[in-house]
Amino acid sequence: MTNSRPYVPQDPYGPPQPHEWQHGAGTRPQVPQSPAYGPAPVMPPFVPRFRPPDHDSHAYVAPLIATVLGGPVIAFCGLIAMFSPMATDSCTPNGCQALTTMLLVAPAVLLLAVVALVVSWALPWRLRHRTTRAVASLAAPLLAVTTLLIYFHLPAAG
């Protein structure tokens, strides 16, 4: 005896489902329209993401202000730092000690400004890091302005 039906394998995972892009993944489910009579449909509760109890929701404010104020100054000082070795072209082999020293100090202070800015963004967004973040955010533009003042007051070559 032969079976007249062809062999069709059963899919162990069930019927095919629509892909995420076909039904708008990532959006909240739509509320069906309520009928003119009867109770309103029940919307499933919105489940927020998990946040630790000491989460600082305004942790981005201080680093953002530091970036807006200090970022352009850091970039300008970096540009000056790239051209600053030309200031020593007229120096004698034994002269310009003060100028050379200041041309080494200024990029070091600028590097500290960049490190302070990175630290202010990289600290975890917890309440216990709020003070450290504020200090690092305050230090970044101040160190950048200090670098700018160092470049504006370089000693004379000669």
Side-chain angles (χ1 to χ4, degrees), residues 14-86:
Q17 300 295 318
H19 294 288
E20 293 176 357
W21 55 270
Q22 290 176 327
H23 58 79
T27 60
R28 292 185 66 173
Q30 298 296 322
V31 178
Q33 296 295 327
S34 61
Y37 57 90
V42 178
M43 178 74 173
F46 179 70
V47 180
R49 296 181 312 176
F50 172 75
R51 288 195 173 137
D54 66 338
H55 177 77
D56 188 6
S57 59
H58 300 290
Y60 66 92
V61 174
L64 182 64
I65 292 171
T67 303
V68 168
L69 294 178
V73 179
I74 290 173
F76 183 67
C77 288
L79 185 67
I80 293 174
M82 286 189 281
F83 289 113
S84 64
M86 290 187 288

Side-chain angles (χ1 to χ4, degrees), residues 52-56 59 123-131 133:
D54 66 338
H55 177 77
D56 188 6
L123 283 171
W125 287 21
R126 303 282 189 270
L127 290 174
R128 65 179 176 261
H129 297 296
R130 180 181 280 181
T131 306
R133 184 179 304 106

